[in-house]
Amino acid sequence: TAIQIAVGPLSNVEPALLKRAFSLAREGTIASKAQLQIEVMPVRVWCEACQLESPASANRLVCDGCGGWRVELRSGDELLLKRIEMIDLAA
């Protein structure tokens, strides 16, 4: 009945296009009325220099605290299946 996923801006997945593809792919299947729920994850980086985890933009991966560029991506590139809701058709 529902599928929940998490998508980051750096995952190369466009949520609107994924929703459209899902609506086409589900037609004619037992999941024809299933809803796709997309959670857009934030881009977050961890800075080696100041030991701070902070938000960043997809096209500017720098520390929000010190402006350093030696950062490790902590979130923002996900494409995760978080939850599937189903009903028992045999019941």
Side-chain angles (χ1 to χ4, degrees):
T1 58
I3 297 174
Q4 182 181 18
I5 63 170
V7 176
L10 300 173
S11 68
N12 292 322
V13 174
E14 180 61 45
L17 295 176
L18 181 60
K19 275 195 172 226
R20 176 73 177 134
F22 179 78
S23 69
L24 294 172
R26 71 183 179 180
E27 292 303 316
T29 72
I30 61 171
S32 64
K33 293 187 180 3
Q35 298 298 312
L36 179 62
Q37 302 160 352
I38 299 176
E39 177 184 357
V40 178
M41 301 299 291
V43 177
R44 296 195 59 82
V45 295
W46 179 80
C47 180
E48 289 181 31
C50 68
Q51 307 289 301
L52 175 72
E53 183 172 316
S54 64
S57 64
N59 59 352
R60 192 164 190 269
L61 299 177
V62 296
C63 177
D64 195 40
C66 71
W69 57 271
R70 291 181 182 228
V71 296
E72 176 184 308
L73 186 64
R74 290 285 172 98
S75 73
D77 63 346
E78 303 89 351
L79 177 55
L80 303 172
L81 176 61
K82 293 184 76 174
R83 191 172 82 207
I84 297 177
E85 293 179 14
M86 298 183 278
I87 58 171
D88 185 359
L89 295 175

